Amino acid sequence: MSTIDQSMTHTSRHGLFAGYRGRRIREALQAYLFLFPGTLLLIVFNLLPVGYALYISMHKWRIQKGHFLAFENYLKALGEPIDVVWVVGGMGLLAAAWMVWRSITAGTSSWGFLLRAAAVLMLLFGGLALIVGFPNMLENGDDDLFKSLLTTFFYSLGTVPLQIVLSFLLANILFQNIRGKTMWRILYFLPYVTVAVASAAVWRTIFDPSRGVINTLLSLAGVAEGNLPKWVFEARGVNLLIGEWLGIEIPTWAAGPSLALVVIILYNIWTYVGYNTVIYLAGLGNVPTEMYEAARIDGASQWELLRHITIPLVSPTTYFLLMMGILGTFRAFNHIYVITTGYTLGFPQGTTMTTSILIFKHFWEGHRFGYASALAFILTGVMLSLTWVQNRLSEGRVFYG
Amino acid sequence: MNTRKLVAVLIVLALVLPLAVACGPQETAQPTEAPVVQPTQAPAEPTKAPEPTPVPLSYDVEIYGDLENLDPSGQIVVYWHQHTSSRDELMLSLIDEFNRTNEWGITVQGESQGGYNDLYQKIIAGIPANQLPSMAVAYQNQAATYAVQGALVALDPYVESEMWGYSQQELDDFFPIALGADILPQFEARYGWPPYKSMEVMYYNEDWLGELGYTEPPNTWDEFAEMACAAAQQPFSGATGEGSSYGYVYSIDASRFATFVFSRGGNIINENGTGYAFNNDPGLEALLFLKDLVDQGCAAEQTERYGDQSDFGAGRSLFTISSISGLPYYKTAVDEGAGFNWSVNPPPHTTSEPRMNIYGASQSIFVSTPEEQLAAWLFIKWMSEPEQQATWASGTGYFPTRDSAAEMLSAYFEEHPTYRKAFTFMAMDYGIESPVAGYDECRAAVEEMLTAVLSGADAETQLNATAEQCNEYLEEAAP
Amino acid sequence: MASEPTTPTHIPQVYRSRGIVTRGLMYLILTLGAIVAVFPFIWMLLTASKTYGEHSQRKFWPVGLTAAPYANRPATQTIIVPLHSPTNDWHGAASSFSPHVEGSIPVQAVTPFVEELLRAKETSVPFNVLILALDSTNDEVQNYDRFILTMGSRIVEQFSTRIDLKEWGGPNYEGSARGRWGPHFEVIEAHPDHLVIKQGWNMLYMFFGNYFSAWKQANFAQYTRNSIITTTLTIAGVVITGTLAAYAFARMNFPAKGLLFTAYLATYMIPWTVVMIPNYLIIIALEDFFKQTFGIPNAWYNNWTALTIPFMVNTFTVFLLRQFFAQIPDDLFDAALIDGCGHLRFLTQIVLPMSKAPLMSVVIFNGIWAWNSLQWPLIVTSTPNWRPITVGLSGFITEAGAETQLIMAGSVITTIPILVLYFFTQKQFTEGIATTGLKG
């Protein structure tokens, strides 16, 4: 095919853009032209602001610019420089150890032992550095930040896996010859389409402890009024509450996310299950049917089909949803804000204070533009490292057909 | 592939960084207020300064111009406020009247910005961008925040101006609270002028009180607790709907806490605005009192916004304490609900006389040109005239800030006895919440403290920690 | 089509479940899931039909969704109402700003439902509804287009509302309960000394009362218009920049392609909170630039430009389309090249017609996002001229306060347009997801 290209350009063009080289230059120029509008907007409204935000984060900036602080805002959040060096270095070493280890499996045998040893050493030192640095960081850094990261982590952990399992289940059922496929799909997708401000407001009224329909149903089911859950108003950990209900004493460190956060988690699941289902359906549609048939002939059971064919073959979808889900929970803002609106940010008692809400709080309540920007960059850093870790972990487990 | 991505991200960031630094000088050159003022000022000063004012001016001519000889004709005043729907309409009709009738041909453009919060956020964003209206509605702590940024003009020169200001007689017509609240202690200057006010009052169910055998609403907190607990034991006969009955359904709110503290003789912040002062006996008593009520099952927290109002209307809460501006809504709530006789009273108190939490946003003027500032002031002054105050008050349920407006409200008083009763509270003793920058965060901290104490945390520790936290915020945000 | 659409007509044999139990279980799970997914909407609709009292008293089913308020309506009648002179003040009020009594409408008939409610209030028919004019302008001119109807004595305020000429109105149209079911008035003609008023039954109002109140109170008409325009413009922009960029990434070779692509990818990670203030400053800088260079004020601030242009590129869209374009077989392109087709023509004449489904996904996704935006519009606009519906709704949520039923009605109004868009495009949308790289 390239011969056709060449002969065409040879006969029709002359000068600078003549020849194969010329065609490539022309294509490049045209590509830049195609990219121009998008990239221009991206630069003006995305990259430029990021640079600007970085600039802000290095200043004392309360509404208006103050003096230059270099990395002081970052250090205020993360503790002493030495802690940061330990932690970042430790994580770097761990990552490097992983990469070296990976390279061995494919690499030569003569260096294998040495490399292996190096990897183990790096792992060791990395772990050590983390053990040394991390407690110090927690000690010297911004407590609110670490608390909010933990909350975000709970939020993510509560949301993403359940969301994925549920939607996988629904998609698998919908993939059978079920009546009214389109109808089900539309119904499940409704929550995603709804305006977040509106649906979060509805959610709030449904879970209202005294007028909400959930508690009305519970009290109809015989739950005494004093025992009705307080939902959004409950700051105690959900494990603690379950323990109380079962009569088991749960230590405070295992209290888990507050019931208020659970309501937000439920909202998130409600919103995204339909979306994930639709995407899973697409993934299932791409699994070649012959594989099932062949496996059936070999006498595989329904469960084995699911385990050995469906799950591996939709793993790219799972990976995609996992990543989007995690990034989504880390960026989530609107619905948390609306569900807790009218109260202090992070209500009740800061238990729904995810990092993005914390950033908002510093921004709009404290007007610490500089510090808030620094926090935002730290959050971005966490997100990037999570993505990196996830990429590493999924290597070899995601099956790209 | 992925490491490449990471590296590339870093490279992109590295590329952007110098760009960002390059933005720096542009931004620093941005505050253009000073140059804008000077050209209009420069010609005015040499010609006019020598002749009429031999007395040294008490204000900065750079900012205010030569006030007594300034001409505000033809100015356009952009006014940001937080009123929506019917209140916005009323505001627009007032503005319309001003625009048609004022002798200088000043045009005011009223622009509603959503709620208080939206308005506040917009101005905060507008300060670095130099994108501000001529004047706006601002709470005292918000005004302090703007003033710290140098965005506001102090109003004292306008108030004192012979040409544009008030005479002593006129000033005496204003309630002390109205004049006192807007002098910000951190600046010792006035940064707002109040055409209307609101306050915290206690709403009570008269019929229910009667059923419980009381003839008078509570005057002290002890009486309040006694009645509230009696009510929790003996629900109102006319209550509608389902659910429990309480003596007091409360909402977590820093202003409510302030009310509790004031009524016990305490203060939220010290007089010169240098430190928070609620971590003493009145504050502690307030916390323990509420906690005690909750523990005994006499009080409960509202579960939805304005839930206290709905519960009051349904006859399920004997008392509620909230802003008097909610009066029309309370009326609806009762009429739609259990339909009983009710009224308002000053919140109970341990001081000998009631001590009210009277508050309300005022009008503040942003730094612009002397003429525009003056024009904004003239509009504020017009809004504060008794006629306009009365119109506004009867249309919204807010309270006028001067005595003479009351005479014009006789018809409204007649139709709204509750309102008339509450109006007499305006002249009572009062506390001022916190006219300082950084109070927003302190409010959030106070509200968190309330939640924490009510769910079991130690009151004294919480109180001290919160005050300390608030003092940090105060120091950080101070001018 | 480059690849199979999602809903394959051919279902793999293996996946056909046989047992009735299994099938029953599957339908059960689907139904439960659907109930959970849809319940909040049902709750929203139910609450939007309630009265304030019904919500605060925890009633599950609103009376408005039963037959009671609509049954046995008395006949419609036309009444001529003489108007008093403006000096006849209401209850002897002395000043010009207090409302004047203009006249009173004798009400002879209400629906049985309202009669019942009135009985509970110790009121009965006939009664008079006073027409008050709030003439705040002091200009001696009566504004006949603004009335406040007030029903006598003790339930005065509850029954006050405004009626515009030639529009239905009546006691209690501002959201509260009883009056919603009548009596209703329409001012047919307004004269200086008398009014011609029709008393009748506005069924629409009776049924959709809360929606009308919310619509009127929050000025949703303008906000909806704004949202539709800005959303459409944003979608158009995203489609144009997205197609071009995606095509370049998918089908063209050029230096620094990887780097540029990674830069696109990186922007997805940026939290919005970080860039909002800088973005705002950039908009203000652009505003200044346009004002000074071209003499155009409000080119950005308070205009649709600031609401749409920053969002006219969306990296997610670029990825999505790129995946699809990359799947287009090379042969097609080669064939087109032989016909003398350049990239642009290949894109517009061959690629785009093939890409209806993925484009539809792009439209839906960006439609949802654009429709949802809240914080940014608040900052870059200061007048309702271009403010979107979400801003209207969130302002209304604050304004309506305790009146949850109005908030829910507003929420329904806000959601409907985007739902309609989804219903009409859902088939292509689903197909689009299936045919692009969205799944991983």
Side-chain angles (χ1 to χ4, degrees), chain C residues 150-180:
Chain C
T150 303
M151 199 151 88
S153 73
R154 58 182 273 244
I155 31 179
V156 165
E157 216 168 24
Q158 184 194 341
F159 281 94
S160 63
T161 188
R162 286 175 178 168
I163 306 181
D164 291 333
L165 187 61
K166 302 271 182 190
E167 251 181 47
W168 277 110
N172 244 356
Y173 281 173
E174 301 295 307
S176 37
R178 294 171 234 289
R180 200 209 290 173

Side-chain angles (χ1 to χ4, degrees), chain C residues 88-154:
Chain C
N88 188 349
D89 291 323
W90 186 35
H91 290 249
S95 332
S96 52
F97 54 79
S98 43
H100 300 294
V101 177
E102 301 287 350
S104 70
I105 312 170
V107 174
Q108 258 94 36
V110 294
T111 60
F113 177 73
V114 176
E115 214 168 321
E116 213 174 280
L117 293 168
L118 286 177
R119 216 173 295 134
K121 277 270 160 194
E122 289 152 32
T123 313
S124 59
V125 245
F127 56 82
N128 285 325
V129 169
L130 299 182
I131 305 172
L132 307 177
L134 181 81
D135 191 7
S136 59
T137 48
N138 258 344
D139 57 353
E140 310 289 318
V141 183
Q142 290 296 310
N143 296 323
Y144 280 118
D145 56 342
R146 293 174 88 202
F147 295 96
I148 291 182
L149 287 162
T150 303
M151 199 151 88
S153 73
R154 58 182 273 244

Side-chain angles (χ1 to χ4, degrees), chain C residues 262-295:
Chain C
T262 315
Y264 269 66
L265 205 130
T267 57
Y268 184 76
M269 304 268 177
I270 303 165
W272 173 242
T273 337
V274 188
V275 292
M276 192 170 70
I277 286 285
N279 254 331
Y280 176 65
L281 296 176
I282 286 171
I283 290 289
I284 296 305
L286 283 170
E287 165 80 31
D288 276 353
F289 178 74
F290 273 69
K291 206 186 279 172
Q292 257 135 51
T293 323
F294 308 111

